[in-house]
């Protein structure tokens, strides 16, 4: 069975765990092809956070006025300072948009 077929059958949490179990060299090569100049440690953090956030949405958890338990690694940007709290819903949505833009570039 081709790998792309297997990936379509896995849940997003399983894809996140699969990525975290890869060797560092494989992670670097995959991220270099897909995300340009971002370290694989950030992408691994994004995948884990996206899986968590997806589960929050699908299980009808409240998304407003809540501090999420998952902390992401992010670059300092005009909209985000890593020294501040990084557990808001806005930050999760910002991170999803950031990943989408990186893939499209």
């Amino acid at each position: 069975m081709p790998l792309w077929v297997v990936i379509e059958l896995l849940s997003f949490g399983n894809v996140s765990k699969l990525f975290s179990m890869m060797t560092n060299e494989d992670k670097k090569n995959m991220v270099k092809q897909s995300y340009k100049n971002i370290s694989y440690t950030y992408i691994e953090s994004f995948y884990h956070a996206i899986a968590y956030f997806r589960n929050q949405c699908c299980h009808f958890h409240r998304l407003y006025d809540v501090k999420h338990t998952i902390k992401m690694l992010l670059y300092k940007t005009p909209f985000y300072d890593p020294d501040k709290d990084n557990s808001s819903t806005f930050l999760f949505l910002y991170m999803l948009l950031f990943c989408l833009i990186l893939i499209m570039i």
Side-chain angles (χ1 to χ4, degrees):
M1 184 180 292
L3 183 61
W4 61 270
V5 174
V6 173
I7 295 297
E8 286 190 13
L9 298 174
L10 296 175
S11 69
F12 201 85
N14 288 338
V15 172
S16 170
K17 288 176 186 162
L18 180 67
F19 183 80
S20 68
M21 290 188 297
M22 292 170 61
T23 65
N24 290 343
E25 192 61 36
D26 290 339
K27 288 179 195 177
K28 286 178 190 176
N29 291 333
M30 190 185 109
V31 168
K32 186 185 229 182
Q33 292 175 356
S34 301
Y35 293 101
K36 313 291 187 267
N37 296 324
I38 294 184
S39 171
Y40 69 90
T41 55
Y42 288 99
I43 300 300
E44 188 171 0
S45 174
F46 291 170
Y47 283 173
H48 180 65
I50 290 169
Y52 164 82
F53 193 66
R54 179 250 172 229
N55 288 337
Q56 294 292 316
C57 294
C58 290
H59 296 287
F60 306 108
H61 287 253
R62 187 180 74 180
L63 296 177
Y64 60 91
D65 195 29
V66 65
K67 296 293 181 188
H68 300 284
T69 57
I70 300 296
K71 306 289 185 193
M72 292 176 278
L73 298 175
L74 285 177
Y75 293 108
K76 187 172 185 173
T77 68
F79 301 107
Y80 171 71
D81 183 3
D83 298 330
K84 295 182 180 178
D85 184 32
N86 64 348
S87 61
S88 69
T89 300
F90 169 76
L91 187 59
F92 278 85
L93 295 174
Y94 176 70
M95 180 264 311
L96 286 170
L97 181 63
F98 181 72
C99 287
L100 179 65
I101 290 171
L102 285 176
I103 291 172
M104 296 175 102
I105 293 177

